[in-house]
Amino acid sequence: MSEHYHRIWKVVGLIPEGCVASYGQVADLAGLPGRARLVSRALKQAPEHLDLPWQRVLNSQGRIAIPAGEPSHALQLSLLRSEGVTFRGKRVDLTQHAWSPSLDVLMFALDF
DNA sequence: ACCTTGACATTGG
DNA sequence: GCCAATGCCAAGG
C-alpha cells in the first residue's frame, strides 16, 4: 500500500467524534494538496482492522459523498447522527461540526 | 503503454 | 441551488 494511503489514514483517524472534515481538507493535512480523490480511494480500500472514523469525511458541501441508495450511505448517516452530528436537509451543519485541528494535532499529522 | 473510472473541488452560467 | 466543464491522479483493465 502506498505511503500516501498511510498518511491519509493517519489524518482520518484524528478527526474527533462529532466533527467532520472534507476530502480536500484531509488531503491537505496529509501533505497531499489537491488530491481529494486519492482520499476517497484510500478510504474505500482501508483495511477493517484500522477501524477508521470514515463516516466523518464528507464532500466540500458537507454532504455524504456515497451515492444515495448504496447501503453504506445509510450507514454513514446513521453513524454521524449517533455521534451527535446535526443535518440541515442533506448537509451537515458545518458551522457547528467542522473540524478545526489544533496546532499539536497538525504537527502530529505533518510529522513534526 | 493507453484508456477509463471515481465516496472530489472549484469555477462559471 | 443545479448542472457542466476542468483539473486532479492512482488503480485496474
Side-chain angles (χ1 to χ4, degrees):
Chain A
M1 218 36 96
S2 91
E3 184 55 40
H4 291 173
Y5 281 22
H6 288 289
R7 280 151 61 181
I8 288 166
W9 293 333
K10 188 167 78 168
V11 171
V12 171
L14 296 172
I15 306 172
E17 186 178 335
C19 294
V20 297
S22 69
Y23 292 87
Q25 183 181 6
V26 171
D28 288 345
L29 290 173
L32 302 164
R35 287 183 247 182
R37 306 190 85 138
L38 192 58
V39 174
S40 69
R41 277 195 302 274
L43 288 183
K44 276 198 289 195
Q45 299 181 205
E48 277 299 324
H49 68 81
L50 289 181
D51 201 32
L52 294 176
W54 58 272
Q55 72 274 21
R56 297 173 192 156
V57 184
L58 308 172
N59 70 20
S60 64
Q61 305 301 307
R63 308 214 317 147
I64 289 176
I66 298 171
E70 311 233 342
S72 44
H73 180 286
L75 173 61
Q76 183 169 16
L77 178 58
S78 142
L79 286 171
L80 287 171
R81 286 202 155 121
S82 74
E83 58 185 74
V85 173
T86 60
F87 284 73
R88 243 179 28 217
K90 307 217 77 157
R91 306 178 332 169
V92 162
D93 186 349
L94 295 177
T95 71
Q96 250 184 99
H97 302 104
W99 180 36
S100 308
S102 55
L103 187 54
D104 52 320
V105 167
L106 285 178
M107 295 195 297
F108 176 74
L110 299 174
D111 283 320
F112 280 136

